[in-house]
Amino acid sequence: MDILSGKNVKKAVALLGFSIVLYLAFKCAFPVAAPFILSFFIVYLCNPWLKKVQKRLHIRKEILLGGILLLAAALLVFGGWGIVSWGTVHAADIGNGMAVIQARFDEMVHGCCIFMEENFGMDATGTENAFWEKMNLLTQNLQAQALPKAASQSWQYVKGFAGTAAFLGVSFISSLLLCKDYEAILERCGENPVFAEVWKFVEKTVSLVGGYLKAQAVILLAISVIAVLGLWLGRVRGGLLLGILAGLLDALPFIGTGIVLLPTALWQLLSGNGFGAVAAVGVYVICIAVRELLEPRLLGKQVGMYPIVMLFSVYAGVQVFGLTGIFLGPLYVVFFREGVDIAETLLTNR
């Protein structure tokens, strides 16, 4: 059989070996090199614009880039501060409204017990007392488990925050250093023919990754706008931030907008805003339809890959690399595809 010929077996073994090497590179080398890879992408994308501004203003490129990065950091800090402030204010509002919601929940439980007594002959008082006993026991168990777990994970949060700060700090410094010598590095390495082939691979990879991110950005923007408008029409308090949050979380596989919109619908129902609850559920359904409509067209146009392949890459990336697999999974697929294309081209030219 042709499929089991020696040539095909060698090709399959070569592809398997390449996939393993690429996996080891992503698993072991990528965490160490990640700040420098990020700095390279920043300089690569900003360098053409920085050269134009430098000619007009006669300001060194690294100073211009430093100003841009500081502005981005300031926006990030103020954005985080705004979200925390909004959460603090609305946490107080939630606390003030808990008495009303508790009363509505009590009425709902009491009504259900009366219904069970009238239709099934069950004692309403005994059923209601048994329900609240179970609820109190469940609450005590959750508190006993949640507090120690929160205390044990607090150190992990501190480490994660420190690691993120170190990552961003190294990326900032390396971006400035690389920006200063970027042209000289390219000029020196450009004399090597191997570097020329590697540079073509890098440029094509950047183009594909940029196309993927652009497609996802368009989808997230569309979903955020729909969520904000829907929650605003439903008179949901804090609909602006909830809609933006729903749009951002839609990028996470198997989480999506439902993690924001469905609890919002339940909260609105318990708060007495039935129209807001219906609006939140309706927005959730529309967001799913919009993603299913836009994703195949945009990803096929920007990346040239089937949506099912991209979905698999995101899911597999999360399973293998953790949360960063949302980006590493598609990046792995892009690297693998381009590496296979280059290998086939070299074998054909031999």
Side-chain angles (χ1 to χ4, degrees), residues 298-314:
L298 293 178
L299 287 179
K301 181 180 179 180
Q302 297 289 340
V303 185
M305 288 187 183
Y306 295 111
I308 187 63
V309 176
M310 300 305 298
L311 177 61
F312 173 77
S313 67
V314 173

Side-chain angles (χ1 to χ4, degrees), residues 15 25 126 160 162 261 342:
L15 290 177
L261 296 177
I342 291 175

Side-chain angles (χ1 to χ4, degrees), residues 141-335:
N141 291 334
L142 289 176
Q143 291 177 348
Q145 296 176 7
L147 292 178
K149 187 175 181 181
S152 64
Q153 290 184 345
S154 60
W155 175 242
Q156 298 295 329
Y157 295 142
V158 173
K159 289 175 61 178
F161 178 79
T164 302
F167 173 84
L168 295 177
V170 172
S171 300
F172 177 82
I173 296 172
S174 59
S175 296
L176 299 184
L177 296 176
L178 179 60
C179 184
K180 180 180 179 181
D181 302 322
Y182 183 73
E183 301 292 341
I185 293 174
L186 291 184
E187 184 178 354
R188 173 173 291 186
C189 295
E191 302 173 357
N192 190 328
V194 177
F195 176 80
E197 295 297 326
V198 173
W199 187 251
K200 291 180 181 179
F201 171 75
V202 170
E203 287 186 325
K204 191 170 183 180
T205 302
V206 171
S207 176
L208 290 173
V209 173
Y212 170 75
L213 295 178
K214 181 180 178 181
Q216 290 294 345
V218 172
I219 294 172
L220 296 187
L221 178 61
I223 289 177
S224 297
V225 171
I226 292 172
V228 169
L229 289 177
L231 295 179
W232 176 73
L233 291 175
R235 298 180 180 179
V236 176
R237 190 171 184 180
L240 175 61
L241 287 179
L242 288 174
I244 295 174
L245 181 61
L248 293 176
L249 291 178
D250 186 67
L252 300 179
F254 310 105
I255 295 180
T257 56
I259 198 172
V260 174
L261 296 177
L262 295 182
T264 299
L266 178 61
W267 181 264
Q268 295 302 309
L269 184 63
L270 293 176
S271 301
N273 184 8
F275 182 70
V278 173
V281 174
V283 168
Y284 174 60
V285 175
I286 293 174
C287 288
I288 293 176
V290 168
R291 171 165 283 278
E292 294 299 321
L293 178 65
L294 293 180
E295 193 171 49
R297 298 182 179 182
L298 293 178
L299 287 179
K301 181 180 179 180
Q302 297 289 340
V303 185
M305 288 187 183
Y306 295 111
I308 187 63
V309 176
M310 300 305 298
L311 177 61
F312 173 77
S313 67
V314 173
Y315 175 75
V318 172
Q319 296 298 319
V320 176
F321 302 111
L323 188 60
T324 56
I326 296 173
F327 306 102
L328 294 184
L331 187 62
Y332 180 94
V333 172
V334 169
F335 269 74

Side-chain angles (χ1 to χ4, degrees), residues 130-148:
F131 172 81
W132 286 117
E133 288 179 2
K134 295 293 184 181
M135 286 295 297
N136 292 332
L137 182 60
L138 177 62
T139 302
Q140 293 174 3
N141 291 334
L142 289 176
Q143 291 177 348
Q145 296 176 7
L147 292 178

